[in-house]
Amino acid sequence: MSSLARILGFRLAQAGVVGVIVGIATFVMMRALPGDLAFRIAAGRYGYDNTTAEAAAQVRDELGLDQGPLLAFLDWIGDIARFDLGRSLVSGETVWSEITHQLGASLQLAGAAVLLAMLIGLPVGIWCGLRAGSTADRLLILISSAARAMPQFLLGLVLIVIFAVQLRLLPAAGHGDVKHLVLPALTLALGLAAALARITREATHGVAQSSYYEFARWKGLSDRQVFFRHGLRNITPPVLTYLGLQFVLLAEGVVVVETIFGWPGIGHALIHAIFHRDVPMVQGTALVMGLGFVLINTLVDLAITRIDPRGDGRSSNRAGIEHG
Amino acid sequence: MMKRLALAILLSTSLSPAALAADDVFVVAAPFEIKGADPSLSGDIFLKMDIAETLVNADTAGHLQPGLAESWSVSDDGLNWRFDLREGVTFHDGSPFTASTAAAALDIARAKKGLLSNAPITSITADGADLVISLSEPFAALPAFLAEYRSQILAPRAYGPDGMATSVIATGPFKVTDMQAPLSLRTERNEAYWGAKPAIARASYSAIGRAETRALMAESGDADFVFNLDPASVQRLASVDQVGIHSVSIPRTLMLKLNAADPHFDTVAERKALSLAIDRAGLASAVLRYPAAADQMFPPAMAQWHQAGTSPLGFDPEAAKALLAQEGWMPGADGILEKDGDRFEVELLTYPDRPELPLVAAVLEQMFADVGIKAVINSTNFSEIPAKHADGTLQMALFARNFGLVPDPIGTLLQDYAPGGDWGAMGWENAELTGLVDKLASGTGTDEDRARVSSILNDQLPVIPIAWYQQTAAVSKAVTGVVIDPYERSFGLRGMSFAQ
């Protein structure tokens, strides 16, 4: 119980620090970008045929952009303190409603990708870890390195060409049905699966070499019994820690994949918000993503504490960090 | 065992018989993102998807046609316009379309900057079934302005208290069933539509930013109608059996804007030299991949404005060098021209939203280098062009200007050339041209005036026309009745159907 309280307390403090840093950093970066704020926002709203000095002047007026950066920042902090993320400067919708909509789409995509990656990576990694040095094991290293090295942009287009254009099994892009989810999720999943297979292979190999594993065998348990009773549980913590860290990579991948497949997620929205200097959207999105990482790490900590109650969650997570 | 299970699950998710083109939804893919329900933000999409309507329509030649207004007339002094509105029209929520709802919608549109706020309107009132618009001075392009997307009529309930629309409740042959900004929109046929009902029962719109993805959607049969293709995709799709490529010349011109107040471009001879340095035919066939070299500003699609017999803008680098020498520009040690210690090195501003622009800029850089001019390309956000116009630091800018936003280009000319504007002349003023444009705007101009405008622009070159655009769409061959609108007001959904 005390370890649970410690984990939660630490993560809560971390969330606060992340929130402040993200808020200041995004604000400063958005202001430091070249180009006139009012013109960029007008461009985002009205498109290139209608972006004029007149439109920019109206935007400047409407949003009070002349008030200076310090005042604008204080306004934002004040709003945050009231749990109000403000409104998008481009669409006029509340940032919160836009983010929940987009975050849902991204989580759906990321969740499907993680699931697919686990379905591919875990069995392959365990299989090879138990047969270290075999042809299959060496093949895994080769294939996973190749899959890791392939840019997601290329991978996405290759998958579209194979599954949508050649085989006509799946839609090339779009959003709405389950079938639209498959290709973007697979694009994200393959790279993740490759890394996951490698980590799982290492963990499995380590466990299979250990004295307690040897002992379990020696006392006469079958391979199956040894694996499920003594292997799996010991393999899980490093793999889970690694998976938690992969969300950083996933967030990066989501930006690329969402753009290729026309997926209305948070990565896609963030790019557009930066383009159009939609400061509240950028701040809100970055804040939600930053807090999302803290949340995921907390969940991973809690899960590991439950699986391996010997140490406290944080130290095993740290070991995982060094490992990854 | 786990592996086999994993494989089975993977196969069942990725290879399920996804019945793709089997449904009856007509799928449109285009690059434009849905920014919101308000006409000022994404009204163009609602108009293109046949969801919203305007009082006045335009046909593919740009001629005005009745829309929600059956006819219109203007008083002798040109100050009062009377629009006879269609009766028995209802909005998608069942509420009636009347002269007062139209007046309210137009008043809301007019309160926002742009288009209608630039027309000399003093009041918009309902007079029985008629809509009366009063002006402070004659303005012949008013009906054309009412055909633009920002002048679309939404129901009173569509607007929030701040005048921004929160939903798209309009009168068109399709109504919105689901809108997920920024990327998707679904519609179904409006069974209560006042005009001929469309054959297509349901349609959807997907905003797909990447041209490669859009082309692949056409190729895979995922989208029935793909708008705006890049030149490379057009060539590839031409060999795909199930897809037809439709191209049309549009009133959009690729042009190079010059700051005529800048010492490098302050004489006509200098601007002419720049124009002569450009091999337009080579550039168009290499980058745009269709023969579209511009010999004047107005493309053939603008029948009233295009001058068939005009003396074309030629390509002659030697003549260009001679003109520059005549202006005192002499090659320096590195071959770049100099005059009184000033190097002919200028910034060429452009933007990558239109993928061909940075390519064109790179070709221009080379062509200018051949006559001793160093152009430094700055490919950035397009808003830098009006921003640098406003603060006076712009030197050259390469962009594509649409003269068909309003079916009558006079509004665009007023904004851009009489005397100057963000997407037109800079540091340049021509009293004769301003007078002619004003005269044409008030409705008293003639075809000769239009010809004169065209020839002044060609002689003075405040901007240098480079190429005329073509719009290209890839449409499934299972679709009939395809018409590509050069004025980009409509995708033509109401006229299309799936072949049986």
Side-chain angles (χ1 to χ4, degrees):
Chain A
M1 196 58 211
S2 76
S3 99
L4 181 73
R6 220 174 48 222
I7 293 173
L8 290 181
F10 172 73
R11 291 300 184 188
L12 206 63
Q14 199 180 32
V17 173
V18 165
V20 172
I21 292 176
V22 165
I24 296 176
T26 48
F27 189 84
V28 170
M29 283 193 276
M30 292 304 286
R31 290 279 166 166
L33 287 172
D36 186 298
L37 209 58
F39 274 97
R40 291 296 171 100
I41 296 166
R45 285 187 186 178
Y46 308 121
Y48 38 67
D49 286 317
N50 295 313
T51 300
T52 58
E54 192 189 14
Q58 191 204 10
V59 166
R60 197 185 309 277
D61 241 32
E62 178 197 321
L63 301 176
L65 295 177
D66 285 331
Q67 65 172 338
L70 190 66
L71 227 61
F73 183 68
L74 291 178
D75 269 2
W76 184 73
I77 291 283
D79 286 345
I80 286 291
R82 291 193 301 275
F83 294 102
D84 178 5
L85 291 176
R87 282 176 180 274
S88 160
L89 303 184
V90 173
S91 73
E93 296 285 319
T94 62
V95 170
W96 182 244
S97 75
E98 295 229 335
I99 287 180
T100 45
H101 179 60
Q102 291 149 357
L103 192 65
S106 283
L107 285 180
Q108 197 183 17
L109 184 58
V114 169
L115 203 69
L116 271 176
M118 282 165 65
L119 285 174
I120 302 168
L122 294 181
V124 171
I126 291 171
W127 176 275
C128 293
L130 292 174
R131 289 160 189 76
S134 67
T135 318
D137 184 35
R138 282 192 299 253
L139 210 62
L140 167 72
I141 296 182
L142 189 75
I143 294 175
S144 69
S145 304
R148 252 345 233 178
M150 193 148 164
Q152 276 159 333
F153 182 77
L154 181 64
L155 188 61
L157 289 180
V158 168
L159 288 177
I160 295 179
V161 169
I162 295 175
F163 288 101
V165 176
Q166 296 299 328
L167 299 177
R168 295 189 165 245
L169 285 169
L170 293 161
H175 174 248
D177 288 327
V178 177
K179 64 189 181 192
H180 288 118
L181 184 63
V182 182
L183 287 185
L186 199 60
T187 308
L188 274 175
L190 286 181
L192 198 58
L196 197 60
R198 288 289 292 280
I199 293 290
T200 311
R201 183 233 172 246
E202 296 301 324
T204 310
H205 182 57
V207 168
Q209 298 289 312
S210 68
S211 47
Y212 61 81
Y213 205 78
E214 200 61 25
F215 177 73
R217 263 190 195 169
W218 180 79
K219 73 180 179 189
L221 295 178
S222 73
D223 277 0
R224 254 183 88 105
Q225 287 170 320
V226 176
F227 178 73
F228 281 104
R229 295 203 191 149
H230 299 276
L232 205 53
R233 192 158 185 173
N234 283 300
I235 295 169
T236 312
V239 171
L240 206 58
T241 308
Y242 178 78
L243 254 181
L245 290 170
Q246 286 312 292
F247 273 92
V248 180
L249 238 158
L250 211 55
E252 191 186 300
V254 153
V255 173
V256 177
V257 170
E258 284 176 353
T259 308
I260 302 175
F261 289 96
W263 193 264
I266 204 162
H268 182 269
L270 185 59
I271 291 189
H272 275 72
I274 293 173
F275 244 55
H276 299 139
R277 303 289 190 274
D278 194 345
V279 184
M281 270 302 288
V282 174
Q283 285 175 320
T285 310
L287 193 66
V288 167
M289 284 173 107
L291 294 180
F293 286 129
V294 176
L295 179 70
I296 284 163
N297 279 317
T298 311
L299 293 178
V300 169
D301 276 1
L302 293 177
I304 289 173
T305 315
R306 201 176 159 83
I307 292 167
D308 182 5
R310 289 170 305 171
D312 67 71
R314 269 197 302 130
S315 63
S316 71
N317 200 354
R318 255 195 230 121
I321 290 167
E322 279 152 21
H323 192 82
Chain B
M1 180 207 74
M2 271 184 82
K3 191 183 166 195
R4 212 176 301 153
L5 180 74
L7 207 68
I9 294 176
L10 181 67
L11 286 177
S12 68
T13 49
S14 66
L15 302 181
S16 63
L20 288 181
D23 51 28
D24 61 344
V25 178
F26 188 90
V27 180
V28 177
F32 322 108
E33 298 217 325
I34 304 161
K35 287 160 195 150
D38 195 75
S40 72
L41 297 175
S42 289
D44 55 336
I45 298 172
F46 310 139
L47 199 62
K48 287 186 175 83
M49 288 294 288
D50 282 338
I51 297 163
E53 294 182 299
T54 46
L55 296 187
V56 178
N57 283 343
D59 63 16
T60 53
H63 297 130
L64 299 182
Q65 303 289 332
L68 287 173
E70 283 181 309
S71 64
W72 50 91
S73 57
V74 61
S75 62
D76 289 341
D77 61 4
L79 294 179
N80 282 293
W81 288 81
R82 180 170 286 271
F83 294 84
D84 175 19
L85 302 189
R86 213 169 279 282
E87 283 174 47
V89 175
T90 54
F91 288 106
H92 294 153
D93 64 350
S95 63
F97 162 80
T98 62
S100 58
T101 56
L106 291 176
D107 266 333
I108 288 172
R110 190 159 71 95
K112 297 168 190 159
K113 282 276 184 251
L115 200 75
L116 279 187
S117 69
N118 296 332
I121 297 174
T122 52
S123 72
I124 302 176
T125 49
D127 180 18
D130 290 356
L131 182 81
V132 177
I133 300 184
S134 304
L135 308 177
S136 57
E137 55 182 281
F139 187 65
L142 183 72
F145 270 43
L146 295 179
E148 209 242 15
Y149 69 85
R150 282 169 287 185
S151 304
Q152 61 188 240
I153 309 295
L154 302 186
R157 267 188 39 206
Y159 299 97
D162 57 353
M164 293 295 277
T166 54
S167 57
V168 191
I169 307 171
T171 57
F174 290 92
K175 57 183 175 185
V176 176
T177 53
D178 177 42
M179 187 164 98
Q180 309 259 332
L183 297 186
S184 72
L185 176 70
R186 286 162 194 266
T187 66
E188 64 179 25
R189 184 165 50 209
N190 171 14
E191 300 296 346
Y193 185 57
W194 58 267
K197 286 183 195 52
I200 292 168
R202 291 187 296 152
S204 77
Y205 175 87
S206 288
I208 303 289
R210 296 209 64 89
E212 298 93 332
T213 307
R214 283 200 302 280
L216 288 167
M217 288 178 80
E219 193 173 348
S220 66
D222 193 17
D224 301 293
F225 185 100
V226 171
F227 195 69
N228 202 323
L229 297 166
D230 58 302
S233 294
V234 170
Q235 287 192 327
R236 204 163 47 77
L237 285 174
S239 63
V240 177
D241 288 343
Q242 301 89 338
V243 178
I245 299 286
H246 300 257
S247 277
V248 63
S249 279
I250 57 171
R252 188 184 276 281
T253 305
L254 179 66
M255 51 173 78
L256 185 70
K257 167 186 174 117
L258 303 173
N259 179 356
D262 186 281
H264 303 96
F265 310 118
D266 56 354
T267 67
V268 175
E270 286 164 338
R271 301 198 291 269
K272 272 219 162 75
L274 235 66
S275 172
L276 285 168
I278 302 170
D279 176 7
R280 294 175 172 77
L283 199 153
S285 67
V287 179
L288 303 173
R289 305 199 193 175
Y290 51 79
D295 63 11
Q296 57 186 293
M297 185 179 296
F298 305 115
M302 297 166 69
Q304 263 202 311
W305 290 80
H306 180 79
Q307 303 301 320
T310 201
S311 60
L313 300 164
F315 168 53
D316 187 345
E318 291 311 314
K321 283 184 205 166
L323 275 174
L324 288 165
Q326 174 199 314
E327 291 299 311
W329 291 100
M330 293 300 170
D334 57 355
I336 304 297
L337 300 174
E338 285 177 2
K339 178 165 122 182
D340 308 330
D342 179 18
R343 260 164 74 86
F344 209 130
E345 181 175 333
V346 284
E347 185 186 58
L348 173 51
L349 202 60
T350 192
Y351 52 93
D353 299 50
R354 291 187 157 264
E356 68 281 3
L357 290 181
L359 295 176
V360 172
V363 177
L364 287 180
E365 180 190 34
Q366 191 55 48
M367 290 171 177
F368 291 154
D370 290 344
V371 298
I373 295 172
K374 184 168 173 58
V376 181
I377 299 173
N378 178 8
S379 182
T380 177
N381 187 281
F382 59 83
S383 66
E384 285 300 301
I385 295 173
K388 289 196 162 201
H389 178 107
D391 68 18
T393 58
L394 185 140
Q395 290 187 300
M396 290 198 281
L398 182 73
F399 56 86
R401 183 62 167 153
N402 184 359
F403 289 105
L405 268 181
V406 173
D408 183 342
I410 195 67
T412 308
L413 289 175
L414 264 176
Q415 202 180 325
D416 294 353
Y417 296 97
D422 303 84
W423 300 96
M426 174 173 183
W428 177 87
E429 190 163 351
N430 184 294
E432 186 190 355
L433 185 123
T434 306
L436 286 169
V437 170
D438 284 343
K439 186 175 161 200
L440 285 159
S442 72
T444 51
T446 63
D447 279 342
E448 275 154 34
D449 294 330
R450 277 184 269 270
R452 182 72 193 131
V453 167
S454 180
S455 84
I456 292 174
L457 290 172
N458 252 25
D459 292 341
Q460 292 274 321
L461 292 172
V463 303
I464 300 178
I466 293 174
W468 296 318
Y469 270 95
Q470 281 186 10
Q471 184 58 268
T472 313
V475 190
S476 160
K477 284 189 179 156
V479 173
T480 58
V482 181
V483 177
I484 309 296
D485 176 10
Y487 285 85
E488 300 183 35
R489 295 180 79 255
S490 169
F491 291 139
L493 293 189
R494 69 173 82 195
M496 287 192 263
S497 56
F498 288 113
Q500 292 305 312

